[in-house]
Amino acid sequence: MRNAAEPIAIVAGGGTLPLELRDSLAAMGRPAVIITIRGFADRATRACGIGSVDIVDPKGLLRLLERASARELVLAGTVRRPSGAAVLGLFSAARNRAELKSIIDPLLASGDDGLLRGVVAFLEGKGHVVRGVTELAPHLLAPLGPMGIGRPAAGAEAAIATGRALLDTLSTFDIGQAAVVRAGRVLGIEGPEGTDRMLMRVAALNRSRFGFLKAERPAGGVLIKRPKTGQDLRVDLPAIGPRTVERAKAAGLEGIAVAAGLTLVLERQRTIDAANAAGLFLLGV
Amino acid sequence: MRNAAEPIAIVAGGGTLPLELRDSLAAMGRPAVIITIRGFADRATRACGIGSVDIVDPKGLLRLLERASARELVLAGTVRRPSGAAVLGLFSAARNRAELKSIIDPLLASGDDGLLRGVVAFLEGKGHVVRGVTELAPHLLAPLGPMGIGRPAAGAEAAIATGRALLDTLSTFDIGQAAVVRAGRVLGIEGPEGTDRMLMRVAALNRSRFGFLKAERPAGGVLIKRPKTGQDLRVDLPAIGPRTVERAKAAGLEGIAVAAGLTLVLERQRTIDAANAAGLFLLGV
């Protein structure tokens, strides 16, 4: 059993989750230390960190964990779409071009999470316990049913059912955390580009056709989001936040439906307020 | 039986297909007249047309068909992503905003082909026969096996199999004429935005990650393209052309695999030459 005073390490990528999680753990009486991933963690997160490591340097992470006496850790925040700084970090971490290639090849082959999954396996092999946000702070996840004041109309319910069936089907191809469905028609399936860019694509689709009618005729449609079957939620947990709502509104959608208990709602109050202000429903399904 | 001298009408959208088809019919001794769809047909096509009609004016089309004594017709060329001129045409065709809405609503609901399918049903009801490019000019379609000099490596064969299985699966959702697969990983699924934009997305994906390594390390991957199951090929036939090759190259792909006998290869020689020059394989499967 762990010592109650033993801190858990939050290994922090981008976004607000690392600090939300720290606050949430603190409220439950659990001390936490933050170790930031170089090139990904936000400035506010870095200001609270005890140190930072390169994403391709699990040994450096191990040293920081030991220094903090943290046997348990949790990954929190985004590490997708490396920033320029992260890519430069890769360069500085590699001694030569061959080593750089040996780092980048598996990353490209196995997708966004490949590298982090490798880090998780490495740390577990060293006796560390890797927790998930889902177990540490389930109240940060979407509940079943509506958040906010919007409710889906009958057409939106049908779109949600289509979207869920579609994402189920796609799971065997290891793709599809999100889709946009409007009136039975699939307008977009999320690829490695992420939810925000898919929503921008749907917005562009509206614009390029009947842009000048948009103000009079909201386009409708629903964003459906959930984890892929078999996805390691400790490494990659679907999330929505205020920006998702903003993009969904720009795409003319009626609402957002996410997998209850399996999707983070970042900055919950801001997200719900934004959905209410935009007239979008926000639903855990 | 039709009179051998009776012309077939080519109802022409954008791109080179209408004139390619006319030349091909002429080589087989079949006279053809061209009726252009306003806002879509290219300038060169318009120069050869006997008249032009609005996409929302099937009665105008009927008059032109009768004037040309053409009982048979074929739709050829693209009508996706209406140009500004086409949208203005919609406006001028509608007498008022309610009528405009009655035109646009089914178009938005049923997708790109909805309106054309309606036109086909209308003309058939008036005794006209709507042919497909597949029956009139099968030599414009992709043959089984390689076109050009490139051949897929083992990895590309696996990507093609994954892509075909994926598109098969998606067919029940009435989406997915194309996908990009690299090393077992699905990088993009085509939505209503079309193949070109999906390829631009894959190219952007490469750039945003390791842009400066791109020149040294071709990314690989295959574009797979085929009609949806149950798709009316007279209304919407998948097509590739020189621009597809250009975009595929920009996305770092190894090659293009299309459904043999079910995909147009526009400007065939230019397309094959471009693939050869770019080092891409071009395969009918």
Side-chain angles (χ1 to χ4, degrees):
Chain A
M1 286 304 297
R2 70 176 173 83
N3 183 323
E6 186 190 291
I8 185 166
I10 299 173
V11 179
T16 57
L17 180 61
L19 294 186
E20 287 191 60
L21 181 59
R22 179 204 55 183
D23 294 347
S24 156
L25 289 168
M28 292 184 286
R30 181 82 198 268
V33 296
I34 290 174
I35 297 171
T36 56
I37 302 176
R38 204 167 286 144
F40 294 96
D42 291 8
R43 179 186 295 268
T45 310
R46 292 201 305 272
C48 305
I50 61 160
S52 87
V53 289
D54 202 281
I55 192 169
V56 291
D57 182 20
K59 284 180 188 162
L61 176 54
L62 199 61
R63 278 193 300 274
L64 280 174
L65 290 171
E66 278 161 11
R67 198 198 300 166
S69 304
R71 198 172 59 88
E72 291 185 66
L73 66 141
V74 55
L75 305 174
T78 56
V79 292
R80 297 193 166 200
R81 274 187 297 284
S83 63
V87 174
L88 286 175
L90 280 174
F91 247 116
S92 63
R95 271 169 312 221
N96 53 48
R97 189 162 283 273
E99 189 172 285
L100 181 65
K101 195 166 143 50
S102 77
I103 291 166
I104 286 178
D105 277 2
L107 183 63
L108 284 177
S110 57
D112 294 302
D113 317 329
L115 203 63
L116 277 186
R117 275 192 217 118
V119 171
V120 165
F122 170 81
L123 293 172
E124 287 179 332
K126 298 287 181 189
H128 284 276
V129 178
V130 181
R131 300 285 183 201
V133 176
T134 49
E135 49 180 331
L136 292 175
H139 55 282
L140 298 181
L141 302 171
L144 194 62
M147 302 163 264
I149 56 179
R151 297 291 181 273
E157 297 273 15
I160 293 168
T162 301
R164 293 177 77 184
L166 171 70
L167 297 179
D168 266 349
T169 302
L170 283 173
S171 249
T172 54
F173 294 94
D174 195 28
I175 189 173
Q177 279 203 334
V180 173
V181 180
R182 174 186 302 163
R185 187 155 181 247
V186 180
L187 292 188
I189 298 174
E190 181 181 322
E193 77 282 5
T195 303
D196 284 353
R197 277 162 196 263
M198 178 187 59
L199 289 173
M200 288 164 73
R201 201 154 84 226
V202 173
L205 220 50
N206 296 341
R207 266 200 305 281
S208 66
R209 283 164 190 231
F210 308 103
F212 53 88
L213 288 175
K214 209 174 56 177
E216 313 222 359
R217 190 180 185 289
V222 182
L223 167 67
I224 300 105
K225 203 168 154 90
R226 36 142 274 180
K228 292 175 277 191
T229 312
Q231 179 170 331
D232 186 345
L233 297 177
R234 297 175 307 166
V235 166
D236 186 14
L237 190 59
I240 60 168
R243 197 171 51 192
T244 318
V245 173
E246 189 185 298
R247 299 266 196 236
K249 187 190 174 197
L253 303 193
E254 297 156 70
I256 300 173
V258 301
L262 299 168
T263 313
L264 278 167
V265 183
L266 297 167
E267 302 179 72
R268 178 171 303 234
Q269 202 50 56
R270 268 190 68 200
T271 301
I272 293 173
D273 289 348
N276 288 345
L280 265 64
F281 67 80
L282 206 57
L283 194 69
V285 290
Chain B
M1 288 301 297
R2 71 175 172 83
N3 183 323
E6 186 190 292
I8 185 165
I10 299 173
V11 180
T16 57
L17 179 62
L19 294 186
E20 287 192 60
L21 181 60
R22 180 204 53 183
D23 294 347
S24 156
L25 289 168
M28 292 185 285
R30 180 82 198 267
V33 295
I34 291 174
I35 297 170
T36 56
I37 302 177
R38 205 167 285 143
F40 294 97
D42 291 8
R43 179 187 295 266
T45 310
R46 293 201 305 272
C48 304
I50 60 158
S52 87
V53 289
D54 203 280
I55 192 170
V56 291
D57 182 19
K59 284 180 189 163
L61 177 54
L62 199 62
R63 278 194 299 273
L64 280 174
L65 290 171
E66 278 161 12
R67 198 197 300 166
S69 304
R71 199 172 58 88
E72 292 185 62
L73 67 140
V74 57
L75 304 174
T78 56
V79 292
R80 295 191 168 204
R81 273 188 297 285
S83 64
V87 175
L88 286 176
L90 280 174
F91 247 117
S92 62
R95 270 169 312 218
N96 53 50
R97 190 161 282 274
E99 190 173 285
L100 181 66
K101 196 165 143 50
S102 77
I103 291 165
I104 286 177
D105 277 1
L107 183 64
L108 284 176
S110 58
D112 294 302
D113 317 329
L115 202 63
L116 278 186
R117 274 192 218 119
V119 171
V120 164
F122 170 80
L123 293 173
E124 286 178 332
K126 297 288 179 185
H128 284 277
V129 178
V130 181
R131 300 285 183 201
V133 176
T134 49
E135 48 180 332
L136 293 174
H139 55 283
L140 298 180
L141 302 171
L144 194 63
M147 302 161 265
I149 56 180
R151 297 290 180 275
E157 296 273 15
I160 293 168
T162 301
R164 292 178 76 184
L166 172 70
L167 296 180
D168 265 349
T169 302
L170 283 173
S171 248
T172 54
F173 294 95
D174 195 28
I175 189 174
Q177 281 205 333
V180 173
V181 181
R182 174 186 302 162
R185 186 153 182 252
V186 180
L187 292 188
I189 297 176
E190 181 180 323
E193 76 282 3
T195 304
D196 283 354
R197 277 162 196 263
M198 177 186 59
L199 290 173
M200 288 164 73
R201 200 155 85 225
V202 173
L205 220 52
N206 296 340
R207 266 200 306 279
S208 66
R209 283 164 190 228
F210 308 103
F212 53 89
L213 288 175
K214 208 174 57 175
E216 315 221 0
R217 189 179 187 287
V222 181
L223 167 67
I224 300 104
K225 202 168 155 89
R226 38 142 272 178
K228 292 175 277 191
T229 311
Q231 181 169 331
D232 186 346
L233 297 177
R234 297 175 307 166
V235 166
D236 187 14
L237 190 59
I240 59 167
R243 197 171 53 192
T244 318
V245 172
E246 190 185 299
R247 299 268 196 234
K249 188 191 174 194
L253 304 193
E254 299 157 69
I256 299 172
V258 300
L262 298 169
T263 314
L264 278 167
V265 184
L266 296 166
E267 302 179 71
R268 178 170 301 233
Q269 202 50 55
R270 268 190 67 199
T271 301
I272 294 173
D273 289 348
N276 288 344
L280 264 66
F281 68 79
L282 204 57
L283 194 68
V285 290

